[in-house]
Amino acid sequence: MRPVQIGDLAPDVELRDCQGAVVRLSSLWQEQPAVLWFLRHLGCPCTGEQVERIRRDGPRFRQAGATLAVITLGPAERAAVLFAGPEAPKVLLDPEQQAYQAYGLGRGGLWALAGPPVWLTALKALLRGRIGRPAGDVRQLAGTFLVDRRGILRYVHRAKHSADFPDHEALLAQLAALA
């Protein structure tokens, strides 16, 4: 089966938030487009860098009219501290990786997880203290998706390695095109 692509219906999976409430992904894009960031495990230094990018650019995405959600492998206690405050994205837990699989996100081998493309980002993260104990599948790769109000995928980024982050400017441009 081929992974979902731009123009396909976004998979609608039920996940739990950090308080245990069930959230259907489709509820995120009913009112406005949604940006879904799927993170690697929470101890990954590159995940720390990606979280910082999401925090930094989150206001721009909200100003452009998007609902923001971060999907992680958990656990809830650690995931809840990633983002705090009224402007924080919704944090959803997917420890069984159902949504990761539905969106076609792969698992990496040694090269994708710790090879040369990752070294510079990982080094920066380590120097900033962004490393922790692994939680979840350490081989799971990340991804980012933009879903319009009809549930159609408008932007798809599947990470090829741990430090492969989406281009936020391209994502914002696609979001602007939906307005």
Side-chain angles (χ1 to χ4, degrees):
M1 185 163 89
R2 82 172 174 86
V4 292
Q5 303 294 323
I6 292 173
D8 290 347
L9 278 175
D12 188 15
V13 179
E14 281 188 351
L15 300 174
R16 293 198 181 272
D17 66 17
C18 293
Q19 291 74 42
V22 174
V23 177
R24 284 200 79 76
L25 290 182
S26 61
S27 70
L28 301 174
W29 57 76
Q30 284 180 345
E31 305 284 325
Q32 57 194 26
V35 178
L36 309 176
W37 279 283
F38 287 78
L39 303 179
R40 293 197 65 242
H41 71 87
L42 297 182
C44 174
C46 296
T47 296
E49 290 296 295
Q50 186 174 19
V51 166
E52 186 55 38
R53 292 177 78 236
I54 295 168
R55 283 185 192 139
R56 180 193 69 218
D57 292 339
R60 294 176 64 205
F61 284 103
R62 277 188 293 285
Q63 187 176 26
T67 298
L68 308 180
V70 172
I71 298 147
T72 180
L73 303 169
E77 307 80 43
R78 286 180 63 189
V81 299
L82 290 177
F83 300 95
E87 296 294 315
K90 183 169 275 303
V91 178
L92 302 173
L93 308 171
D94 188 14
E96 287 84 34
Q97 298 165 278
Q98 295 172 329
Y100 284 84
Q101 291 171 11
Y103 280 78
L105 296 171
R107 298 174 74 228
L110 184 58
W111 189 264
L113 302 175
V118 178
W119 294 349
L120 182 58
T121 301
L123 178 61
K124 287 179 191 175
L126 290 169
L127 292 173
R128 292 179 180 131
R130 293 192 180 123
I131 188 168
R133 191 178 38 133
D137 183 354
V138 297
R139 293 185 55 209
Q140 180 63 60
L141 292 173
T144 304
F145 301 85
L146 171 61
V147 185
D148 72 14
R149 290 181 54 204
R150 296 184 337 224
I152 306 294
L153 289 166
R154 298 298 176 189
Y155 179 93
V156 171
H157 176 86
R158 288 184 185 86
K160 294 173 180 57
H161 55 77
S162 297
D164 183 13
F165 306 136
D167 178 350
H168 282 192
E169 296 307 318
L171 187 51
L172 283 161
Q174 188 62 43
L175 186 56
L178 295 176

